[in-house]
Amino acid sequence: VSTQSTGTNLEPHLPEWCCSSVFETRPEMANPASDDITGQLVLRHAFGSRSSMPLASLTERVPLPSPVWFVDDTTTILYSVGRRVVVHNLDTNTMRFLPENERLDCVIALAVSPNHKYAAVCERVNPEPGAAKAVPFTQVAVYNLHAPTLKRRSVLQYSEISSKDWKGVCFSADNHFIAVQSGAPDWLIVIWNWGSPTPKVVATSSGRIDAKGFEVSRLSFAPFDNISTVLVASGPRTLQFYKHTEGTLKAFSANIGKRDMPDITDHAYLNDEVMVVSTTGGEVWVLLAFDLKDVIQCEFGGGAATSISGLANGFIVGGENGFLSVYENHERKELFQCSHTFRSSVHPEAAIRGLATLPRFEDSVACSFDNDQLAIFPLGRMDYLDNDGDHFNYVSSGMHCGAITGMDVALNKPLVITCGVDHTIRAWNYTTMTCELTKTFPNDDLLSLACHPDGFQIAVGFRDKLRLMQLTIDDMTQMNEFSVKGCRQCRFSVGGHLIAAVNGPKILIYETFALRNCNPAPILILDGHSHLVTHISFQRGDHYLASCSIDGTVYQWDLRTKQRAAENVEKKVKCECVIFSELESTMIACGSAKSAKDGPRGNPNSTSTSKAQGTIRELYTDAHGEKSGALKSELKLKSGSGNMPQSLCLTKSGRLLFVGMDDGSVRCFSYPQTGPHAGEFDETSAHEGQVTAMAVSANDCYLISASDDGSIFVYEIVQIESGQRMPSRKPTADQFVDMSLISRSSVDEQMSIMGDLQEQIKEISTSTEYKVHMKEQYYTELLKKQQVDQDTLRESEQQRYETLKRMKEKQELEAAEAIQSMEEAHMKAAEELEALYERKLAMHAARYEEMRAARDDVQCQFEEKIEVMQREHSVMMERQHYAAETSLQEKARAMEELQARYDKDMERDVVFLSETQEVAEIEISKIMDEGKKQLAQQKQENLDLKTEAALLRKNFDKYVKELENKDKEIRKGQEKTKELEASITKHKKEISKLGVDVKEREEQIGEREKRISDLKNKARELEKFKFVLDYRNEELKKLIEPKNDELRELKGQIEELDDELQNDSKNKLTLQQMLDNKTEKLDAQAKELSKQQRKTQDKERFITLFIRDLHKLVTEAEPVHWKEGLRKLHHTYVTSKKEILKQMEEWTGQSDEIVSEFTRQREYMERTLDTLRKKSDKTDVRTKEDLQRKVLENSVLIQEINDIRRDKKTLTLQLQELESRMAYQTQKANRQADPSRAPSTRPPPTRGSDVSAGSGASNNYRSAGRATPFDAREKKKTPYKGSARQWDETSTDRARMAEMAIRMDENNREIEMQKLEIRRLREQVRMLLRKGSLETSTPHDEDAEEEHMGQVRGKEFAATLPNLPASPTGARGAMRPGSQP
């Protein structure tokens, strides 16, 4: 909602007419300052749509391209109403409006992006008040549909386009580009890259699109073109393609052969290559890769094809006369075929101007008719629909087309009644936002409408008469009619017992509750105006009536004296509306003031719109005595269009005044116009035409406005008092009368239908019971048979199972023998491969030694170079050291000066720090207290979550049991399948038996064929005999024919007589019905007459008693007794009735208070229940999310523990192997250093001995000085990498599991260590045996043999280790990873 005046600073917000020279308030009549109450209007709903846009006026209109679009799914549509664009959710019947543009003139085109996230709106915008060019221009506004407030994303403008009417807008397939088609005289195409931070123009068309003089009405990007370079423009005799190259659009045409280009109405792409085009000749052209492939003639009765849209397997076409056809191609043939054709029977003369579909949801299609109707067609159910009915689901049950001539609101029911130039009366419910009732009068013009306060009757002004109609549950029936021709204004009184109707300058007053269809005469005629009366309104007490006319006269009529109580005449003002203000005892009138140069005085209709000025006047009523009719205050608006008030409306409290303007906007004033907010207003623009009528709901919650453009808007009234929004209670259905009228004839029909249905139900129930009994017997017999069959099948399957079991055991034995033989062969092959790889390792070891020697040479060379460079570096360092000392001395002096300054600054900072520390300590204490509270809350939440986790474990156990039961059921199903296979074999045997029977029957057939041949011979003889008999029959027919002719003539005479009899019987029935109706009417009138007679008799009896008592009093001789007699008469005939009436009023008022208090308490309890229900739902969702999160954390922790265990095992194994290697190498080095020393028989050190020798503390690997990942984690007191929570927060169960896992790891580790020690002992024994054999054979080669054996042992030992860095011996350089000894 845009507000023009808020706050105390009025200068930048007030319009021009609010200055002191124009806003006149007479001081002697001004009221004291009222409460500071202002108001705003918020749009809530709209009834109506736009299928066309205006050119110069509302009467001159052109079709709107693509007026309806789907958003997200098929339950939300986007369309325009008046000047606003609506996002309407059809499921919840709620609306969201795009933000208002204060200078918006009208909406020209709409488009929704392919991802359904953005909407582009072409807007015709009025220039700013101080702009150099006072010419409207056009822009494209892009809105974010997924934002909560539907905020505007960007605005696109192009100054080189001189046209103010753009023909269309479209998005590219990748949603990054927007193309716009301008109108005459430019006819340009402009493409923006709006997705960038600063939108810029990418390309424009190089020449005029209408080079041949034809227009363009549709524009779209090719959907398959991901780089957005191909555009399609179509229109009357135009189909042009454009390609974007280097900032320009190059045109190329489609290949249509020798055909002439038709008038194209719409086009659509079906896939990457196929495009369909609709024409005014009722044809659909199919183009394949820019070539005309086929021409399809639509079955629209000669009408044009006005719109088209693509589907997955075809397309859908809308045409004139309400036709809708679906073409499909399921077999993927070249031609499309019409599968279904439907027609709108409600609007058979309307054309479908727009179609909207969604590729993902093809179950519905949105249709826009040229009579401003919107409908959803159920495309997914079209195979089940007949082609005769109307299957369109109209949005809001239909809308008005054209101007709305009358509108009124009921008080006791939530109804808004409207009538328009489309010959329809509609009843809208403003609590459910739906149309409840519609009545069409195709041959009558509806000029005005008024609604009774109870909502059961309406008065409608027709051309010939004023009719009083009754609203029933499904129809509008006529109750009475009044002889008032051309009634353009009518109004019910506040009590509803009077009807005021305008007939030119006269005002006729009728009684509402007169006899039915009696055409009563008016009870009062108010004849005082000399020109046409434009508006009338009743005062709240129904004692006064206000009226105004086009000649500037405003009258207040006293209905009791039948005279004018106040009058005001302003010849220069054309009054449009007048209302009463009960709060100030004034009348408020609005209109347009005319200047003296506008025309002659005798012609009040001669006005000049350029110099006309809107006025709102406040006039005194007769309650002010001598001031009656005088001007209290006057508001003069700016001159020109958009500032002429057309209608007025006050809230029931009388604190807000609403003014409907001629440009479709509604202004909200605070009333009375005194105090700080005098002259200020809040303006909301929604309608496209002038506001014809406004009304406020019963509790001042909603304002409803109607306009010439056929739209109805519902606003929420927001009252603001002293800058704060006042609470308002939205109306609900419970606050109104929950009753509807229904005619007696419809009740009788429904009762008869119910009786027939009950009889049918009884018959059906008896028949179904019998059928059920018979079926039970049949199925019991079937069950018995099947049980016998299943028993036999089970026995056979049991035998088969035993045989298969024996076969399986044999196969398992054979397979085991085969596997054993394969393993033996595999072991042999593995040994051969191992020998081969040992030879290769020896070769690579020798090569490694050569490379090692070369590396030592290179290292010596580099060491010599390093010594030379070190000497040079020492010389350079001495020089730099001397320079650095000199500079240090200079800097030391400067430092002493800076130190003195620093000491002074520090003294100042110490004082400041002491002050800040005190403040910080106070804040820290507060934060600590809050943190402690939060910790306590989190601990409580953790306890709750643990209890919920226990419950989840129980549920998990239940689900496990259910899964086991399902597995059992699956096994049972498998057993059943086996049984069925057995039955199949049985049936095959039966088939073989039946084959034998067939052969026997074939033999019987051969014998019968012989008999047939004999019978044929007999038939030939009978045919000869038949020929003779036929000849005799023909002779007899010739004799019988004249008699048949006579019989035919007699039959014709009998049929004529029957027709006459039927006509006579029909006439008799109609006469009988007429007689019955008249007798019923006579009976009703007789009853009414008897009632009236009783009433008259009672009154006469009352009068006779009064006359008798009065006669007694008059005959009294003494005048002293007259006074007492008069008192008795007054007491008996006057006061007794009044006391009874007062008691009734007091009793009824008390009951109303009790009922209202009960309803208020009930609503309060319902609201509290709703809030508690929502809170419980939120807590359930939160607990579920927390449980899921905890389950994920537990899984992550378990995975981390497993990874840590694996890493631990590998590291411990590597560490132990490295320690054993080190011990072995040291032993070998000692042996090489002392060759004379005899080899010791001591075995190589084990892991436990090596570790104890190195540390002397314990046999565990922890004592070797290396910590495990668990030890590092315990020292850091932080979670391991990737963990989700601290280790201190783990539960006791998890700690126990960790301890068990550690014990298992230690046991496994000891087993591995024992295995490795056994392997080493074996290797040492082999080495000693080999060494003893070598010493006996060749003692001189002992050292060489030791080196060779050391290399071999190193190779065998390295094969058992994982990939480790190379050892100094060189044996690890070529070891094969993963090889076994």
Side-chain angles (χ1 to χ4, degrees), residues 1023-1038:
E1023 282 178 357
K1024 293 177 183 178
F1025 184 67
K1026 182 184 175 185
F1027 179 74
V1028 175
L1029 292 174
D1030 289 337
Y1031 181 72
R1032 290 179 183 177
N1033 284 326
E1034 288 176 357
E1035 290 178 353
L1036 291 170
K1037 283 179 182 178
K1038 289 177 182 178

Side-chain angles (χ1 to χ4, degrees), residues 1169-1271:
L1169 282 171
D1170 291 334
T1171 53
L1172 290 170
R1173 199 176 292 113
K1174 289 178 182 177
K1175 286 180 180 177
S1176 65
D1177 294 336
K1178 288 180 180 178
T1179 52
D1180 291 339
V1181 172
R1182 287 175 183 170
T1183 52
K1184 288 178 182 177
E1185 290 177 353
D1186 292 337
L1187 286 171
Q1188 291 177 359
R1189 182 172 56 78
K1190 288 178 179 177
V1191 169
L1192 290 171
E1193 288 177 355
N1194 289 332
S1195 62
V1196 170
L1197 287 169
I1198 290 164
Q1199 189 175 359
E1200 288 174 358
I1201 289 165
N1202 294 329
D1203 294 337
I1204 290 163
R1205 286 172 183 164
R1206 295 190 197 96
D1207 295 339
K1208 185 179 174 183
K1209 287 179 182 179
T1210 55
L1211 289 169
T1212 51
L1213 289 171
Q1214 289 178 7
L1215 188 134
Q1216 291 164 5
E1217 295 300 334
L1218 288 169
E1219 288 175 352
S1220 62
R1221 282 185 62 193
M1222 285 175 66
Y1224 177 73
Q1225 292 295 333
T1226 53
Q1227 185 180 3
K1228 182 180 175 182
N1230 293 328
R1231 217 183 296 132
Q1232 288 177 358
D1234 191 5
S1236 61
R1237 187 177 174 183
S1240 69
T1241 57
R1242 181 188 173 196
T1246 60
R1247 292 186 183 182
S1249 62
D1250 292 339
V1251 172
S1252 62
S1255 62
S1258 67
N1259 293 330
N1260 196 351
Y1261 66 92
R1262 292 176 183 269
S1263 61
R1266 293 173 175 83
T1268 61
F1270 285 98
D1271 298 332

Side-chain angles (χ1 to χ4, degrees), residues 578-599:
V578 61
I579 58 174
F580 279 103
S581 172
E582 306 293 340
L583 184 66
E584 299 292 324
S585 298
T586 57
M587 293 183 294
I588 305 171
C590 70
S592 57
K594 299 170 283 186
S595 63
K597 298 180 181 180
D598 290 339

Side-chain angles (χ1 to χ4, degrees), residues 616-850:
I616 301 173
R617 295 181 293 159
E618 191 175 5
L619 310 174
Y620 287 111
T621 60
D622 67 337
H624 294 272
E626 295 179 355
K627 296 180 181 179
S628 62
L631 182 67
K632 180 182 179 182
S633 63
E634 184 177 10
L635 298 178
K636 292 184 179 180
L637 310 182
K638 290 192 294 185
S639 61
S641 62
N643 293 286
M644 301 298 148
Q646 300 294 320
S647 58
L648 296 172
C649 185
L650 264 175
T651 57
K652 298 295 185 291
S653 62
R655 310 310 294 271
L656 294 177
L657 174 66
F658 302 104
V659 183
M661 310 303 290
D662 60 343
D663 63 344
S665 61
V666 179
R667 296 180 180 179
C668 176
F669 294 85
S670 61
Y671 187 79
Q673 286 287 301
T674 56
H677 295 287
E680 298 181 9
F681 64 87
D682 176 81
E683 186 173 13
T684 304
S685 297
H687 295 285
E688 201 170 33
Q690 67 178 6
V691 179
T692 56
M694 291 191 301
V696 177
S697 62
N699 62 346
D700 287 347
C701 185
Y702 291 127
L703 172 71
I704 299 98
S705 65
S707 173
D708 281 347
D709 60 356
S711 62
I712 302 167
F713 281 90
V714 180
Y715 311 84
E716 183 182 353
I717 301 172
V718 179
Q719 296 187 13
I720 301 171
E721 184 176 2
S722 300
Q724 294 183 357
R725 178 172 177 171
M726 296 175 65
S728 62
R729 185 177 177 184
K730 293 184 179 179
T732 59
D734 300 335
Q735 299 175 2
F736 299 96
V737 176
D738 190 12
M739 289 191 297
S740 296
L741 300 178
I742 187 168
S743 61
R744 184 176 294 278
S745 59
S746 61
V747 172
D748 294 337
E749 288 177 2
Q750 292 294 329
M751 291 297 291
S752 62
I753 290 167
M754 285 175 66
D756 295 337
L757 290 172
Q758 286 177 357
E759 291 177 358
Q760 291 178 8
I761 288 165
K762 290 178 182 178
E763 293 175 358
I764 291 166
S765 62
T766 54
S767 62
T768 50
E769 286 176 359
Y770 175 72
K771 289 178 181 178
V772 167
H773 180 67
M774 296 300 291
K775 285 183 178 179
E776 283 180 355
Q777 290 181 354
Y778 173 71
Y779 284 118
T780 51
E781 292 176 357
L782 273 178
L783 277 170
K784 290 178 182 178
K785 291 179 181 178
Q786 288 180 357
Q787 284 177 357
V788 173
D789 295 337
Q790 292 294 331
D791 292 335
T792 55
L793 283 170
R794 188 170 58 252
E795 290 176 358
S796 62
E797 289 294 328
Q798 187 68 29
Q799 293 175 0
R800 186 182 173 190
Y801 173 72
E802 290 176 356
T803 56
L804 289 171
K805 191 175 180 181
R806 295 191 199 99
M807 291 172 67
K808 185 183 176 184
E809 289 175 354
K810 289 180 182 179
Q811 289 176 357
E812 285 178 352
L813 291 171
E814 293 175 356
E817 293 175 356
I819 289 165
Q820 188 174 2
S821 62
M822 287 172 68
E823 285 180 352
E824 291 175 355
H826 178 68
M827 289 298 290
K828 290 180 182 178
E831 289 175 356
E832 292 175 357
L833 284 171
E834 190 174 358
L836 192 141
Y837 280 117
E838 283 179 355
R839 295 192 204 105
K840 287 184 178 180
L841 280 170
M843 292 169 63
H844 285 292
R847 187 179 176 188
Y848 174 75
E849 288 295 332
E850 293 176 357

